[in-house]
Amino acid sequence: MRSATVNAALRSWLPWTDRQGRFSQLRGATFALLLVPALMLLYAAWMHQLGSKPWTEAIHQTGTWAVRFLIATLAVSPFRRLFDWGKLIGIRRMLGLAVLAYVLGHLTLYCIDMAFNWGLIVSEIAKRFYLTIGFVALLGLVALGVTSTDGMIRRLGGKWQKLHNLVYPIAVLGLVHFALQSKIDVTQAVLMSGLFVLLMLYRGLYRWKLTISIPVLIGAALFAGLATAVIETTWYALTSGVSARLVFEANADILTYPEFASVRPAHWVALAGLVVALVHGLRARTSRPPRRARQPATA
Amino acid sequence: MLIKRPAGWEMPESQATPESVFLNRRQLMAAGAGLIAGAALPGLAAADTPDPTLDLYPAKRNEAYKLDVPLTAAEDAANYNNFYEFGMTKDIVDASRRLATRPWSIQVEGMVEKPFEIGFDDLVRKLPLEERLYRFRCVEAWAMAVPWTGVPLAAFVALAKPLSGAKYIRFETFMNPRVAPGQSQRWYPWPYTEGLTIAEATNELPLLVTGIYGKPLPTQHGAPIRLITPWKYGFKSVKSIRKISFVAERPKTFWEGLQSSEYGFWANVNPAVPHPRWSQASEQVLGSRDRRPTLIFNGYGEHVAGLYKGLENERLFM
């Protein structure tokens, strides 16, 4: 009997089970997906496909995936409400811990790349602004990670939410770190920043108690796209000799794409927002009335 | 342009079909983004006829230029390349193969006795090819050491007969966004432009490079002809040169236009002057996990330090 209880407790801890210890498709699929970039990286390393500077490549990949998963983590709360999909909360902690895992891997790989020359590692982190803020973001993620257990949530009570609101400044630091480490091209960092803006807009809609409707969501999508274009233009204007007018023009040009690469992050962000609006519309149409009636109370 | 590839493990056959290259460039690029560096082999130039200069390789090695560091493996040098015309990653080998390197001519213009245009194949037979072992140092703090084949730039300058008013030499690459998708990123100051002072250009070190590892240059290294200035950061060594001008004013380079505070005109290697965002004190050796100390002028101080007497007020190391 005793071992059965232990087993049950253990089962509820497994990444692919829900709190009752039953297999959860959502959690199982999420866990598998979170492992994919790491496994692909290991496979590429094994096959010597990481190029002539494999450690640097691995650093870049783990860092990029950490940012992507952080954005995914921040999508959980708004998507729960927008898609009337309460169960989504069941993967938020796993996503957050995956971010922490990739970031720790990112730092470990950096130390390996620096041949564990601790003096150099410490001085570089202290001297180079982009490394300093990246490291601060990492410390923040560690703090959130160690306070992510059920026990800590209980113990911290109301302070827990306050502490975990640190995820927003951490995300900003991570995004700036991402942009600053680029030699000149910040396309990926701008794309992630634009998605961050979109997700923050959704939070704003709920906070300001705006009625969520398809037109409002379409408006949010277009606004986030515009904000992304402004972010990209401003970045190049402030950090490079590139003509801001040319950058903005490239963003304004939404009709002719001479090459696939001409699709700017702003366009992707707006498209993502439009897809969210569409899915919201479809979910609202198919939802059962009792669930819809219950929804405002939880929102 | 027909692209011949050996069938087998390197590359899915569908990627090599010329019709799809021509008709579905966008889709191909999207698919190609997922393709990994392993697909690339050095020395497989995208040409359907054998290179007409093949008989010139390997050229006689000039033993005056020796290395005190190990030679980089050809495969490591061939698969880690900055060539923004073909993408922002280091994995541009496949994309760069779309560059047709024949016919190729070089326009010589500006302050010369008589401007002219010369076919690449004529040029390499006019000037003596030799092989030199050089260190190479990228501004991104990685380094390699490779055997380049080329002609001393000084010999080319003598051929071009610049007028006395010419103070700088300006190099320009090709411009063809249909082949080089990076060039359709419109806020970059294409085509890639670089420059040297005449004094630098007539120093013994700079080479107009046409080959590497005893073979003609593959496209990712800047076929058919590129510059190599071993005491400067790699971005000075412009690839796939189309036009060489002799001018009185200092040319504005591609990287100066983008970010002059980080990538300037002189760009001489110096361990003591950090890049604004990272240290230049040490360098990562390509193809290994070793880091070694960076050398002033990348180890070529005895050849070039004298060039900068009286220029101490310039940002020589940025």
mmCIF file of all heavy atoms in Angstrom, chain A residues 49 52-53 55 113 124 128 130 180 182-184 239-242 247 250 253 257 259 264, chain B residues 25-26 29 36 76 80 140 184-187 257-259 263 277 279 284 286-287 289:
data_model
loop_
_atom_site.group_PDB
_atom_site.id
_atom_site.type_symbol
_atom_site.label_atom_id
_atom_site.label_comp_id
_atom_site.label_asym_id
_atom_site.label_seq_id
_atom_site.Cartn_x
_atom_site.Cartn_y
_atom_site.Cartn_z
ATOM 1 N N GLN A 49 27.750 18.629 -37.151
ATOM 2 C CA GLN A 49 27.041 19.539 -38.057
ATOM 3 C C GLN A 49 26.940 20.949 -37.484
ATOM 4 O O GLN A 49 26.153 21.754 -37.959
ATOM 5 C CB GLN A 49 25.635 18.996 -38.345
ATOM 6 C CG GLN A 49 25.651 17.812 -39.277
ATOM 7 C CD GLN A 49 24.283 17.245 -39.502
ATOM 8 O OE1 GLN A 49 23.345 17.570 -38.792
ATOM 9 N NE2 GLN A 49 24.161 16.387 -40.492
ATOM 10 N N SER A 52 32.358 25.094 -37.742
ATOM 11 C CA SER A 52 33.743 25.133 -37.310
ATOM 12 C C SER A 52 33.906 25.694 -35.897
ATOM 13 O O SER A 52 34.962 25.557 -35.300
ATOM 14 C CB SER A 52 34.562 25.971 -38.287
ATOM 15 O OG SER A 52 34.368 25.497 -39.600
ATOM 16 N N LYS A 53 32.858 26.354 -35.379
ATOM 17 C CA LYS A 53 32.901 26.812 -33.986
ATOM 18 C C LYS A 53 31.688 26.231 -33.276
ATOM 19 O O LYS A 53 30.729 26.957 -32.961
ATOM 20 C CB LYS A 53 32.885 28.342 -33.919
ATOM 21 C CG LYS A 53 34.294 28.949 -34.055
ATOM 22 C CD LYS A 53 34.245 30.447 -34.035
ATOM 23 C CE LYS A 53 33.893 30.974 -32.656
ATOM 24 N NZ LYS A 53 33.716 32.444 -32.674
ATOM 25 N N TRP A 55 30.934 25.153 -30.296
ATOM 26 C CA TRP A 55 30.485 25.627 -28.972
ATOM 27 C C TRP A 55 29.753 26.952 -29.101
ATOM 28 O O TRP A 55 28.737 27.175 -28.454
ATOM 29 C CB TRP A 55 31.671 25.741 -28.013
ATOM 30 C CG TRP A 55 32.288 24.403 -27.757
ATOM 31 C CD1 TRP A 55 33.414 23.894 -28.341
ATOM 32 C CD2 TRP A 55 31.769 23.360 -26.919
ATOM 33 N NE1 TRP A 55 33.632 22.614 -27.906
ATOM 34 C CE2 TRP A 55 32.654 22.260 -27.031
ATOM 35 C CE3 TRP A 55 30.659 23.259 -26.073
ATOM 36 C CZ2 TRP A 55 32.452 21.067 -26.330
ATOM 37 C CZ3 TRP A 55 30.454 22.073 -25.375
ATOM 38 C CH2 TRP A 55 31.333 21.007 -25.507
ATOM 39 N N ASP A 113 33.215 27.261 -23.674
ATOM 40 C CA ASP A 113 33.815 27.972 -24.810
ATOM 41 C C ASP A 113 34.975 28.848 -24.341
ATOM 42 O O ASP A 113 35.936 29.068 -25.080
ATOM 43 C CB ASP A 113 32.741 28.817 -25.509
ATOM 44 C CG ASP A 113 33.159 29.241 -26.910
ATOM 45 O OD1 ASP A 113 33.908 28.472 -27.550
ATOM 46 O OD2 ASP A 113 32.754 30.323 -27.365
ATOM 47 N N GLU A 124 34.742 39.288 -18.279
ATOM 48 C CA GLU A 124 33.917 39.563 -19.463
ATOM 49 C C GLU A 124 32.478 39.868 -19.042
ATOM 50 O O GLU A 124 31.860 40.803 -19.539
ATOM 51 C CB GLU A 124 33.932 38.369 -20.434
ATOM 52 C CG GLU A 124 35.205 38.253 -21.254
ATOM 53 C CD GLU A 124 35.373 39.358 -22.290
ATOM 54 O OE1 GLU A 124 34.620 39.392 -23.262
ATOM 55 O OE2 GLU A 124 36.270 40.206 -22.110
ATOM 56 N N ARG A 128 31.390 43.553 -20.132
ATOM 57 C CA ARG A 128 30.564 43.675 -21.344
ATOM 58 C C ARG A 128 29.107 43.797 -20.935
ATOM 59 O O ARG A 128 28.531 42.864 -20.381
ATOM 60 C CB ARG A 128 30.759 42.468 -22.266
ATOM 61 C CG ARG A 128 32.188 42.017 -22.414
ATOM 62 C CD ARG A 128 33.038 42.994 -23.199
ATOM 63 N NE ARG A 128 34.461 42.665 -22.991
ATOM 64 C CZ ARG A 128 35.447 43.515 -23.160
ATOM 65 N NH1 ARG A 128 35.199 44.752 -23.532
ATOM 66 N NH2 ARG A 128 36.686 43.156 -22.952
ATOM 67 N N TYR A 130 26.294 43.639 -22.448
ATOM 68 C CA TYR A 130 25.303 42.652 -22.891
ATOM 69 C C TYR A 130 25.418 41.355 -22.081
ATOM 70 O O TYR A 130 24.429 40.676 -21.846
ATOM 71 C CB TYR A 130 25.402 42.391 -24.405
ATOM 72 C CG TYR A 130 26.521 41.486 -24.858
ATOM 73 C CD1 TYR A 130 26.258 40.170 -25.230
ATOM 74 C CD2 TYR A 130 27.828 41.944 -24.943
ATOM 75 C CE1 TYR A 130 27.277 39.345 -25.665
ATOM 76 C CE2 TYR A 130 28.847 41.124 -25.372
ATOM 77 C CZ TYR A 130 28.569 39.814 -25.736
ATOM 78 O OH TYR A 130 29.576 38.992 -26.165
ATOM 79 N N LEU A 180 21.745 42.932 -28.359
ATOM 80 C CA LEU A 180 23.083 43.515 -28.229
ATOM 81 C C LEU A 180 24.183 42.577 -28.706
ATOM 82 O O LEU A 180 25.232 43.021 -29.147
ATOM 83 C CB LEU A 180 23.351 43.897 -26.771
ATOM 84 C CG LEU A 180 22.840 45.262 -26.315
ATOM 85 C CD1 LEU A 180 23.090 45.412 -24.820
ATOM 86 C CD2 LEU A 180 23.523 46.381 -27.076
ATOM 87 N N SER A 182 24.103 40.706 -31.205
ATOM 88 C CA SER A 182 24.140 40.587 -32.668
ATOM 89 C C SER A 182 25.206 41.506 -33.236
ATOM 90 O O SER A 182 25.423 42.602 -32.728
ATOM 91 C CB SER A 182 22.791 40.984 -33.271
ATOM 92 O OG SER A 182 21.738 40.420 -32.546
ATOM 93 N N LYS A 183 25.839 41.065 -34.304
ATOM 94 C CA LYS A 183 26.868 41.902 -34.912
ATOM 95 C C LYS A 183 26.208 43.131 -35.533
ATOM 96 O O LYS A 183 26.626 44.242 -35.278
ATOM 97 C CB LYS A 183 27.620 41.103 -35.969
ATOM 98 C CG LYS A 183 28.901 41.756 -36.415
ATOM 99 C CD LYS A 183 29.748 40.752 -37.164
ATOM 100 C CE LYS A 183 30.840 41.407 -37.982
ATOM 101 N NZ LYS A 183 31.347 40.481 -38.997
ATOM 102 N N ILE A 184 25.187 42.944 -36.329
ATOM 103 C CA ILE A 184 24.453 44.078 -36.880
ATOM 104 C C ILE A 184 22.980 43.735 -37.061
ATOM 105 O O ILE A 184 22.102 44.563 -36.827
ATOM 106 C CB ILE A 184 25.095 44.560 -38.214
ATOM 107 C CG1 ILE A 184 24.373 45.789 -38.766
ATOM 108 C CG2 ILE A 184 25.112 43.473 -39.269
ATOM 109 C CD1 ILE A 184 24.686 47.053 -38.072
ATOM 110 N N THR A 239 21.650 52.556 -32.741
ATOM 111 C CA THR A 239 22.871 51.756 -32.569
ATOM 112 C C THR A 239 23.700 51.636 -33.827
ATOM 113 O O THR A 239 24.765 51.032 -33.789
ATOM 114 C CB THR A 239 22.532 50.329 -32.109
ATOM 115 O OG1 THR A 239 21.835 49.669 -33.182
ATOM 116 C CG2 THR A 239 21.682 50.322 -30.860
ATOM 117 N N SER A 240 23.236 52.147 -34.948
ATOM 118 C CA SER A 240 24.000 51.945 -36.172
ATOM 119 C C SER A 240 23.916 53.171 -37.061
ATOM 120 O O SER A 240 23.169 54.099 -36.789
ATOM 121 C CB SER A 240 23.478 50.725 -36.930
ATOM 122 O OG SER A 240 22.275 51.047 -37.600
ATOM 123 N N GLY A 241 24.670 53.119 -38.129
ATOM 124 C CA GLY A 241 24.650 54.214 -39.081
ATOM 125 C C GLY A 241 23.598 54.017 -40.162
ATOM 126 O O GLY A 241 23.560 54.752 -41.138
ATOM 127 N N VAL A 242 22.767 52.984 -39.976
ATOM 128 C CA VAL A 242 21.756 52.675 -40.977
ATOM 129 C C VAL A 242 20.698 53.776 -41.009
ATOM 130 O O VAL A 242 20.332 54.331 -39.979
ATOM 131 C CB VAL A 242 21.108 51.319 -40.645
ATOM 132 C CG1 VAL A 242 19.889 51.068 -41.497
ATOM 133 C CG2 VAL A 242 22.119 50.207 -40.802
ATOM 134 N N VAL A 247 14.856 51.637 -42.987
ATOM 135 C CA VAL A 247 14.360 50.523 -42.187
ATOM 136 C C VAL A 247 12.840 50.595 -42.074
ATOM 137 O O VAL A 247 12.128 49.612 -42.246
ATOM 138 C CB VAL A 247 14.991 50.518 -40.773
ATOM 139 C CG1 VAL A 247 14.450 49.353 -39.958
ATOM 140 C CG2 VAL A 247 16.503 50.456 -40.861
ATOM 141 N N ALA A 250 11.159 49.637 -45.280
ATOM 142 C CA ALA A 250 11.129 48.182 -45.489
ATOM 143 C C ALA A 250 9.969 47.575 -44.708
ATOM 144 O O ALA A 250 9.355 46.589 -45.129
ATOM 145 C CB ALA A 250 12.452 47.565 -45.056
ATOM 146 N N ASP A 253 6.535 48.493 -46.360
ATOM 147 C CA ASP A 253 6.287 47.811 -47.623
ATOM 148 C C ASP A 253 5.688 46.427 -47.353
ATOM 149 O O ASP A 253 6.397 45.462 -47.089
ATOM 150 C CB ASP A 253 7.628 47.661 -48.363
ATOM 151 C CG ASP A 253 7.428 47.096 -49.744
ATOM 152 O OD1 ASP A 253 6.278 46.740 -50.077
ATOM 153 O OD2 ASP A 253 8.405 47.012 -50.486
ATOM 154 N N TYR A 257 7.260 41.564 -51.822
ATOM 155 C CA TYR A 257 8.364 40.888 -51.155
ATOM 156 C C TYR A 257 9.293 40.329 -52.222
ATOM 157 O O TYR A 257 9.034 39.268 -52.772
ATOM 158 C CB TYR A 257 7.846 39.749 -50.284
ATOM 159 C CG TYR A 257 7.064 40.221 -49.099
ATOM 160 C CD1 TYR A 257 5.732 39.862 -48.947
ATOM 161 C CD2 TYR A 257 7.661 41.014 -48.139
ATOM 162 C CE1 TYR A 257 5.013 40.286 -47.846
ATOM 163 C CE2 TYR A 257 6.946 41.451 -47.045
ATOM 164 C CZ TYR A 257 5.624 41.085 -46.906
ATOM 165 O OH TYR A 257 4.914 41.494 -45.821
ATOM 166 N N GLU A 259 12.062 39.029 -51.839
ATOM 167 C CA GLU A 259 12.634 37.785 -51.340
ATOM 168 C C GLU A 259 11.939 37.454 -50.025
ATOM 169 O O GLU A 259 11.410 38.323 -49.350
ATOM 170 C CB GLU A 259 14.143 37.935 -51.073
ATOM 171 C CG GLU A 259 15.011 37.968 -52.323
ATOM 172 C CD GLU A 259 15.107 36.621 -53.028
ATOM 173 O OE1 GLU A 259 14.747 35.586 -52.410
ATOM 174 O OE2 GLU A 259 15.523 36.617 -54.195
ATOM 175 N N ARG A 264 9.484 41.444 -42.810
ATOM 176 C CA ARG A 264 10.060 41.977 -41.579
ATOM 177 C C ARG A 264 9.371 41.368 -40.353
ATOM 178 O O ARG A 264 8.219 40.911 -40.437
ATOM 179 C CB ARG A 264 9.914 43.506 -41.532
ATOM 180 C CG ARG A 264 10.628 44.293 -42.621
ATOM 181 C CD ARG A 264 12.055 43.872 -42.881
ATOM 182 N NE ARG A 264 12.870 43.749 -41.689
ATOM 183 C CZ ARG A 264 13.934 42.957 -41.616
ATOM 184 N NH1 ARG A 264 14.305 42.223 -42.627
ATOM 185 N NH2 ARG A 264 14.632 42.906 -40.511
ATOM 186 N N ARG B 25 12.636 30.186 -55.958
ATOM 187 C CA ARG B 25 13.716 30.644 -55.096
ATOM 188 C C ARG B 25 13.256 30.885 -53.667
ATOM 189 O O ARG B 25 13.932 30.530 -52.721
ATOM 190 C CB ARG B 25 14.349 31.913 -55.660
ATOM 191 C CG ARG B 25 15.055 31.656 -56.957
ATOM 192 C CD ARG B 25 16.047 32.754 -57.281
ATOM 193 N NE ARG B 25 15.646 34.060 -56.823
ATOM 194 C CZ ARG B 25 14.880 34.886 -57.532
ATOM 195 N NH1 ARG B 25 14.407 34.526 -58.685
ATOM 196 N NH2 ARG B 25 14.590 36.060 -57.069
ATOM 197 N N ARG B 26 12.060 31.479 -53.529
ATOM 198 C CA ARG B 26 11.614 31.813 -52.169
ATOM 199 C C ARG B 26 11.411 30.573 -51.324
ATOM 200 O O ARG B 26 11.921 30.466 -50.227
ATOM 201 C CB ARG B 26 10.304 32.577 -52.220
ATOM 202 C CG ARG B 26 10.503 33.966 -52.742
ATOM 203 C CD ARG B 26 9.217 34.695 -52.711
ATOM 204 N NE ARG B 26 9.300 35.848 -53.587
ATOM 205 C CZ ARG B 26 8.332 36.715 -53.745
ATOM 206 N NH1 ARG B 26 7.210 36.548 -53.076
ATOM 207 N NH2 ARG B 26 8.474 37.717 -54.535
ATOM 208 N N MET B 29 14.564 28.986 -50.410
ATOM 209 C CA MET B 29 15.303 29.649 -49.338
ATOM 210 C C MET B 29 14.746 29.286 -47.990
ATOM 211 O O MET B 29 15.478 29.044 -47.048
ATOM 212 C CB MET B 29 15.228 31.155 -49.520
ATOM 213 C CG MET B 29 16.163 31.612 -50.598
ATOM 214 S SD MET B 29 16.331 33.349 -50.557
ATOM 215 C CE MET B 29 16.369 33.653 -48.833
ATOM 216 N N ILE B 36 21.575 22.080 -42.990
ATOM 217 C CA ILE B 36 22.690 22.286 -42.067
ATOM 218 C C ILE B 36 24.039 22.256 -42.804
ATOM 219 O O ILE B 36 24.153 21.777 -43.925
ATOM 220 C CB ILE B 36 22.665 21.213 -40.969
ATOM 221 C CG1 ILE B 36 21.247 20.965 -40.490
ATOM 222 C CG2 ILE B 36 23.546 21.585 -39.816
ATOM 223 C CD1 ILE B 36 20.627 22.083 -39.705
ATOM 224 N N ASP B 76 37.232 23.202 -42.013
ATOM 225 C CA ASP B 76 36.835 24.218 -41.027
ATOM 226 C C ASP B 76 36.823 25.608 -41.650
ATOM 227 O O ASP B 76 35.930 26.415 -41.391
ATOM 228 C CB ASP B 76 37.791 24.191 -39.831
ATOM 229 C CG ASP B 76 37.587 22.953 -38.975
ATOM 230 O OD1 ASP B 76 36.426 22.509 -38.867
ATOM 231 O OD2 ASP B 76 38.576 22.434 -38.441
ATOM 232 N N TYR B 80 32.805 28.118 -42.404
ATOM 233 C CA TYR B 80 32.551 29.155 -41.406
ATOM 234 C C TYR B 80 32.898 30.481 -42.052
ATOM 235 O O TYR B 80 34.018 30.966 -41.969
ATOM 236 C CB TYR B 80 33.406 28.907 -40.160
ATOM 237 C CG TYR B 80 32.883 29.615 -38.939
ATOM 238 C CD1 TYR B 80 31.757 29.141 -38.278
ATOM 239 C CD2 TYR B 80 33.504 30.763 -38.459
ATOM 240 C CE1 TYR B 80 31.264 29.785 -37.168
ATOM 241 C CE2 TYR B 80 33.012 31.414 -37.335
ATOM 242 C CZ TYR B 80 31.902 30.917 -36.699
ATOM 243 O OH TYR B 80 31.403 31.559 -35.590
ATOM 244 N N GLU B 140 35.330 39.135 -35.046
ATOM 245 C CA GLU B 140 34.503 38.414 -34.076
ATOM 246 C C GLU B 140 35.354 37.563 -33.124
ATOM 247 O O GLU B 140 34.809 36.719 -32.406
ATOM 248 C CB GLU B 140 33.515 37.502 -34.821
ATOM 249 C CG GLU B 140 32.523 38.266 -35.678
ATOM 250 C CD GLU B 140 31.825 37.378 -36.713
ATOM 251 O OE1 GLU B 140 32.079 36.165 -36.734
ATOM 252 O OE2 GLU B 140 31.035 37.918 -37.500
ATOM 253 N N SER B 184 19.027 42.180 -51.132
ATOM 254 C CA SER B 184 17.712 42.810 -51.207
ATOM 255 C C SER B 184 17.287 43.372 -49.850
ATOM 256 O O SER B 184 16.217 43.968 -49.735
ATOM 257 C CB SER B 184 16.662 41.844 -51.770
ATOM 258 O OG SER B 184 16.668 40.637 -51.071
ATOM 259 N N GLN B 185 18.122 43.187 -48.816
ATOM 260 C CA GLN B 185 17.917 43.915 -47.556
ATOM 261 C C GLN B 185 18.305 45.354 -47.828
ATOM 262 O O GLN B 185 19.480 45.696 -47.917
ATOM 263 C CB GLN B 185 18.838 43.368 -46.466
ATOM 264 C CG GLN B 185 18.335 42.179 -45.721
ATOM 265 C CD GLN B 185 17.147 42.480 -44.851
ATOM 266 O OE1 GLN B 185 16.362 43.393 -45.114
ATOM 267 N NE2 GLN B 185 16.965 41.710 -43.810
ATOM 268 N N ARG B 186 17.303 46.209 -47.950
ATOM 269 C CA ARG B 186 17.599 47.458 -48.647
ATOM 270 C C ARG B 186 18.359 48.489 -47.828
ATOM 271 O O ARG B 186 18.893 49.429 -48.380
ATOM 272 C CB ARG B 186 16.322 48.056 -49.206
ATOM 273 C CG ARG B 186 15.294 48.375 -48.153
ATOM 274 C CD ARG B 186 14.071 48.936 -48.824
ATOM 275 N NE ARG B 186 12.955 47.988 -48.759
ATOM 276 C CZ ARG B 186 11.755 48.265 -49.235
ATOM 277 N NH1 ARG B 186 11.532 49.382 -49.831
ATOM 278 N NH2 ARG B 186 10.783 47.394 -49.100
ATOM 279 N N TRP B 187 18.415 48.340 -46.481
ATOM 280 C CA TRP B 187 19.108 49.407 -45.753
ATOM 281 C C TRP B 187 20.606 49.170 -45.629
ATOM 282 O O TRP B 187 21.314 49.964 -45.039
ATOM 283 C CB TRP B 187 18.474 49.634 -44.384
ATOM 284 C CG TRP B 187 18.496 48.475 -43.454
ATOM 285 C CD1 TRP B 187 19.572 47.998 -42.772
ATOM 286 C CD2 TRP B 187 17.384 47.667 -43.079
ATOM 287 N NE1 TRP B 187 19.199 46.943 -41.995
ATOM 288 C CE2 TRP B 187 17.857 46.718 -42.159
ATOM 289 C CE3 TRP B 187 16.030 47.665 -43.433
ATOM 290 C CZ2 TRP B 187 17.021 45.761 -41.584
ATOM 291 C CZ3 TRP B 187 15.219 46.714 -42.857
ATOM 292 C CH2 TRP B 187 15.703 45.780 -41.952
ATOM 293 N N GLY B 257 29.641 52.426 -43.084
ATOM 294 C CA GLY B 257 28.279 52.900 -43.312
ATOM 295 C C GLY B 257 27.304 52.294 -42.313
ATOM 296 O O GLY B 257 26.344 52.944 -41.896
ATOM 297 N N LEU B 258 27.546 51.045 -41.930
ATOM 298 C CA LEU B 258 26.631 50.375 -41.011
ATOM 299 C C LEU B 258 26.883 50.759 -39.564
ATOM 300 O O LEU B 258 25.958 51.035 -38.812
ATOM 301 C CB LEU B 258 26.781 48.850 -41.141
ATOM 302 C CG LEU B 258 26.132 48.199 -42.349
ATOM 303 C CD1 LEU B 258 26.442 46.712 -42.337
ATOM 304 C CD2 LEU B 258 24.633 48.430 -42.356
ATOM 305 N N GLN B 259 28.154 50.720 -39.155
ATOM 306 C CA GLN B 259 28.474 50.882 -37.739
ATOM 307 C C GLN B 259 29.906 51.364 -37.588
ATOM 308 O O GLN B 259 30.776 50.606 -37.177
ATOM 309 C CB GLN B 259 28.292 49.538 -37.028
ATOM 310 C CG GLN B 259 28.119 49.653 -35.549
ATOM 311 C CD GLN B 259 26.951 48.806 -35.097
ATOM 312 O OE1 GLN B 259 26.117 48.438 -35.879
ATOM 313 N NE2 GLN B 259 26.875 48.484 -33.833
ATOM 314 N N TYR B 263 33.347 49.203 -36.580
ATOM 315 C CA TYR B 263 34.090 48.634 -37.703
ATOM 316 C C TYR B 263 34.550 49.773 -38.607
ATOM 317 O O TYR B 263 33.832 50.196 -39.502
ATOM 318 C CB TYR B 263 33.220 47.652 -38.491
ATOM 319 C CG TYR B 263 32.427 46.718 -37.598
ATOM 320 C CD1 TYR B 263 31.097 46.972 -37.296
ATOM 321 C CD2 TYR B 263 33.045 45.596 -37.031
ATOM 322 C CE1 TYR B 263 30.386 46.131 -36.464
ATOM 323 C CE2 TYR B 263 32.335 44.753 -36.193
ATOM 324 C CZ TYR B 263 31.004 45.033 -35.907
ATOM 325 O OH TYR B 263 30.304 44.198 -35.072
ATOM 326 N N ARG B 277 31.997 45.877 -27.768
ATOM 327 C CA ARG B 277 31.168 44.904 -27.055
ATOM 328 C C ARG B 277 31.889 43.633 -26.627
ATOM 329 O O ARG B 277 31.315 42.808 -25.942
ATOM 330 C CB ARG B 277 29.931 44.576 -27.899
ATOM 331 C CG ARG B 277 28.930 45.733 -27.887
ATOM 332 C CD ARG B 277 27.721 45.449 -28.726
ATOM 333 N NE ARG B 277 28.037 45.485 -30.136
ATOM 334 C CZ ARG B 277 27.456 44.716 -31.046
ATOM 335 N NH1 ARG B 277 26.554 43.860 -30.674
ATOM 336 N NH2 ARG B 277 27.783 44.816 -32.314
ATOM 337 N N SER B 279 36.042 41.615 -25.915
ATOM 338 C CA SER B 279 37.493 41.741 -25.820
ATOM 339 C C SER B 279 38.154 41.221 -27.097
ATOM 340 O O SER B 279 37.678 40.276 -27.709
ATOM 341 C CB SER B 279 37.980 40.932 -24.623
ATOM 342 O OG SER B 279 39.369 40.747 -24.708
ATOM 343 N N GLN B 284 39.754 32.754 -30.634
ATOM 344 C CA GLN B 284 39.377 31.342 -30.670
ATOM 345 C C GLN B 284 39.899 30.741 -31.973
ATOM 346 O O GLN B 284 39.704 31.297 -33.053
ATOM 347 C CB GLN B 284 37.861 31.247 -30.611
ATOM 348 C CG GLN B 284 37.304 29.999 -31.248
ATOM 349 C CD GLN B 284 36.681 29.089 -30.243
ATOM 350 O OE1 GLN B 284 35.766 29.477 -29.545
ATOM 351 N NE2 GLN B 284 37.181 27.871 -30.177
ATOM 352 N N LEU B 286 39.807 28.454 -34.950
ATOM 353 C CA LEU B 286 38.752 27.755 -35.681
ATOM 354 C C LEU B 286 39.055 26.254 -35.742
ATOM 355 O O LEU B 286 40.178 25.860 -36.013
ATOM 356 C CB LEU B 286 38.677 28.323 -37.102
ATOM 357 C CG LEU B 286 37.312 28.349 -37.766
ATOM 358 C CD1 LEU B 286 36.331 29.127 -36.927
ATOM 359 C CD2 LEU B 286 37.415 28.957 -39.158
ATOM 360 N N GLY B 287 38.011 25.467 -35.464
ATOM 361 C CA GLY B 287 38.178 24.020 -35.550
ATOM 362 C C GLY B 287 38.792 23.404 -34.310
ATOM 363 O O GLY B 287 39.113 22.218 -34.304
ATOM 364 N N ARG B 289 39.098 23.956 -29.638
ATOM 365 C CA ARG B 289 38.586 24.710 -28.494
ATOM 366 C C ARG B 289 39.644 25.634 -27.923
ATOM 367 O O ARG B 289 39.431 26.261 -26.897
ATOM 368 C CB ARG B 289 38.070 23.746 -27.435
ATOM 369 C CG ARG B 289 36.639 23.299 -27.700
ATOM 370 C CD ARG B 289 36.175 22.352 -26.643
ATOM 371 N NE ARG B 289 36.411 22.875 -25.294
ATOM 372 C CZ ARG B 289 36.408 22.129 -24.216
ATOM 373 N NH1 ARG B 289 36.205 20.846 -24.310
ATOM 374 N NH2 ARG B 289 36.607 22.675 -23.036
#
